Amino acid sequence: KISILLENRTLLSFETLSVTDIELRNEIASDSPLGFFGVYWYALELNRPIDLKSSISDRLNIGYKIKFNFSKLYTETMQGYSLDVGLTNKINDNFSVGFVIKNFGEESSNNLRVDNPSTIGVGISYLTFNNKLLVMSDVLNQNNEDFIKLALETQLPYINFILGSTYSKNYKDISFGLKVEYSNWSMTYGNLNHDNPSLGNPTSIEIKKYF
């Protein structure tokens, strides 16, 4: 994933995922695959803030994200779009609240169209311990299921630690990360552990350059 943040706080991103070694078999399984095929997914994002009057822009922020995606699985193709809208309100220097509506849109393939599962959520963040620790919590609803998220992030120079967890009736996970910042560079490492071992534990590395 490659992103660039412009001077007007507009963020442009391009993302791609692919798997190229999926085994192709007939309806009757055989010891050896007939061949191999791939899955490809591409996405383009536009993130923009909504300009507000200067009298309230210092404490209230509103923005949106439009995302277009295209995917291909063997001989089938699919395309879609989604829209996210969110806002944050800074109550004071330490406390903020937020609201988000995510993933409104649809996916289509030939004459088939399917609505995306949307997500609605509220959240809070609180800066404590002499501004050295950021505590964040969210409550989200997706597919009529409630999710509770809690995260802690240190606010130290150069090196910071991140710890988070998600819990619902049918799902739970715990994640941790490390963020290193120096000069105009930033690198973040993250690892997610959830309750479905067959899916593995995703790991991510993010590198940022500030100009």
Side-chain angles (χ1 to χ4, degrees):
K1 181 174 183 178
I2 299 175
S3 302
I4 181 170
L5 180 63
L6 305 179
E7 291 184 355
N8 60 356
R9 296 190 297 165
T10 297
L11 180 69
L12 297 175
S13 297
F14 175 76
E15 184 177 3
T16 178
L17 299 171
S18 64
V19 178
T20 59
D21 57 354
I22 299 177
E23 295 181 353
L24 176 64
R25 298 180 184 272
N26 207 336
E27 294 181 359
I28 300 177
S30 58
D31 292 335
S32 300
L34 300 177
F36 296 88
F37 67 97
V39 177
Y40 306 91
W41 183 81
Y42 307 94
L44 181 66
E45 294 181 12
L46 169 66
N47 300 259
R48 288 205 64 182
I50 298 175
D51 293 330
L52 302 173
K53 295 181 179 179
S54 59
S55 58
I56 60 175
S57 61
D58 291 337
R59 61 179 181 85
L60 183 65
N61 291 286
I62 302 176
Y64 64 89
K65 178 178 77 175
I66 301 176
K67 186 173 186 176
F68 301 94
N69 63 79
F70 173 83
S71 59
K72 182 176 181 180
L73 171 61
Y74 196 37
T75 60
E76 296 294 326
T77 60
M78 178 173 286
Q79 53 278 335
Y81 70 91
S82 63
L83 173 67
D84 302 348
V85 179
L87 66 87
T88 59
N89 188 9
K90 189 175 182 181
I91 306 301
N92 55 45
D93 291 339
N94 297 85
F95 183 63
S96 297
V97 298
F99 174 78
V100 66
I101 302 175
K102 298 179 62 177
N103 212 33
F104 274 92
E106 67 175 23
E107 301 287 333
S108 61
S109 176
N110 296 327
N111 295 322
L112 176 64
R113 284 176 170 77
V114 180
D115 292 333
N116 294 336
S118 59
T119 300
I120 299 176
V122 294
I124 60 172
S125 66
Y126 185 69
L127 195 59
T128 185
F129 287 105
N130 294 322
N131 298 337
K132 296 296 190 297
L133 180 66
L134 182 63
V135 181
M136 298 165 284
S137 181
D138 299 318
V139 178
L140 305 173
N141 182 274
Q142 182 177 343
N143 290 334
N144 295 320
E145 184 174 1
D146 294 325
F147 295 83
I148 299 175
K149 293 177 174 284
L150 178 65
L152 305 174
E153 181 179 347
T154 59
Q155 303 290 294
L156 305 172
Y158 304 121
I159 300 177
N160 285 286
F161 301 93
I162 307 167
L163 179 66
S165 181
T166 301
Y167 176 82
S168 75
K169 182 179 179 180
N170 301 305
Y171 175 84
K172 58 180 179 294
D173 67 33
I174 186 168
S175 60
F176 62 89
L178 176 68
K179 185 176 183 180
V180 180
E181 295 179 292
Y182 182 75
S183 186
N184 294 322
W185 288 90
S186 169
M187 185 183 76
T188 303
Y189 167 84
N191 181 270
L192 175 70
N193 296 271
H194 50 78
D195 55 359
N196 190 344
S198 62
L199 297 178
N201 299 318
T203 298
S204 65
I205 297 177
E206 179 184 70
I207 298 175
K208 290 183 179 181
K209 167 65 176 175
Y210 302 94
F211 297 93

